[in-house]
Each structure stands twice: as C-alpha cells, then as structure tokens.
Amino acid sequence: MRSQSELEGVTLLGNTKTQYATTYLPEILEKFPNKHPENDYMVTLNCPEFTSLCPKTGQPDFAEIKINYIPDGFLVESKSLKLYLFSFRNHGDFHEDCVNIIMKDLVALLQPKYLEVEGIFTPRGGISIYPFANYGKTGTEYESRAKDRLFTVIATAR
C-alpha cells in the first residue's frame, strides 16, 4: 500500500470536480514514485480518442496515441495524463509536433529509462500519418536501444 507522502503530488485522482482544459496544459501532468526502479518493466498507456487541430485549417485531427515507457524513479498518474491529452483538443499543431511534444513533456516529468510515443492518425485527404518519437536515457544502454527501436519502427511501418 502507498503511504500518504508518496501520494502528495497526486491531486486529480479522486477529485470529483474535474475541470477539462481547453488549451494545451503540460503542467497538469502528475507523477508518483516508482516502488520498483530496480526492475525493467514496460508500462503501456493507450488513448484511442486523441484529438487536436490542424494549425492551418483548424479542422480536427483524430488519432490513437500509444505510450510505452520503462520507468525509473516515477510513474505518470493516469488521470492527469488523460486530462493532459484532452488539453490538445483545441491545440493547433501538426501530427508530428503533437507526438514529439507529448514525448518531451513526459520525459521532462518522469526522466524514464526509455519512452516512446506513437500517433496513429486517421486519414485526412487520403493520407494516414503515423509519427513515432522515442527517448533513451543518455549514457545508458537505453540510449542505443532507442535508436535501434526507432529504425525498427521505420522498417516495419504500417
């Protein structure tokens, strides 16, 4: 069981007065301590209803966002992640930008051993776009694994 001190930074979970941001809000992300930093294990998070706006036309873009990470000292609190991803709803950026922004925000929050974000955007104009961005902690084996994984994803693109 987690102690109260471990949950001090978790403020959104259990809050019945949830407010949904209408603009990009990275500061809403929350984390809590990983009780097993000595173990390498993968956490997979899936958001099948991600939306953002085209920065040129303002038309909505729809995607499934998949996040995989190997935590180090912290884990992301899932309700805060949901609200964070929801905050992109009125955010105007290209698909590639959204995926890279999500990756960078999660790396800044968690400092994980490894993290990857994949966007599976629905076609618009007859073209599907599947951006993929990843990170491996500098100076560790995960740095080279990230590069290997990046080229594996490219080679096996849908």
Side-chain angles (χ1 to χ4, degrees):
M1 186 157 196
R2 293 206 172 259
S3 68
Q4 277 305 111
S5 64
E6 289 178 306
L7 298 175
E8 283 178 4
V10 177
T11 63
L12 298 170
L13 187 62
N15 182 340
T16 58
K17 294 179 173 79
T18 301
Q19 295 190 359
Y20 291 89
T22 57
T23 58
Y24 167 68
L25 194 62
E27 57 273 12
I28 202 164
L29 286 167
E30 295 181 345
K31 63 185 179 182
F32 59 94
N34 176 13
K35 285 189 169 185
H36 312 281
E38 72 283 359
N39 293 349
D40 280 352
Y41 63 98
M42 186 72 72
V43 176
T44 299
L45 302 158
N46 190 44
C47 177
E49 299 175 342
F50 178 84
T51 58
S52 61
L53 297 176
C54 173
K56 180 74 174 172
T57 67
Q59 293 180 336
D61 289 314
F62 303 92
E64 178 177 359
I65 299 291
K66 293 183 179 184
I67 301 164
N68 292 306
Y69 73 102
I70 300 173
D72 197 354
F74 296 96
L75 296 138
V76 67
E77 193 284 309
S78 61
K79 184 172 182 181
S80 76
L81 178 67
K82 175 184 83 166
L83 295 173
Y84 164 75
L85 293 172
F86 186 88
S87 80
F88 279 83
R89 189 151 293 193
N90 293 318
H91 180 76
D93 248 329
F94 291 115
H95 305 339
E96 300 86 350
D97 297 320
C98 290
V99 165
N100 277 282
I101 289 167
I102 293 166
M103 182 199 68
K104 288 176 181 177
D105 286 344
L106 288 173
V107 167
L109 177 75
L110 303 173
Q111 291 300 303
K113 296 174 184 177
Y114 175 83
L115 186 134
E116 64 183 36
V117 179
E118 179 181 12
I120 304 162
F121 285 81
T122 58
R124 229 169 20 93
I127 294 179
S128 297
I129 300 175
Y130 303 134
F132 176 89
N134 70 351
Y135 160 87
K137 188 171 265 190
T138 304
T140 71
E141 65 180 292
Y142 304 101
E143 185 176 24
S144 62
R145 288 185 182 202
K147 187 166 285 209
D148 292 344
R149 172 78 173 129
L150 178 63
F151 289 105
T152 301
V153 169
I154 291 169
T156 60
R158 297 172 196 253

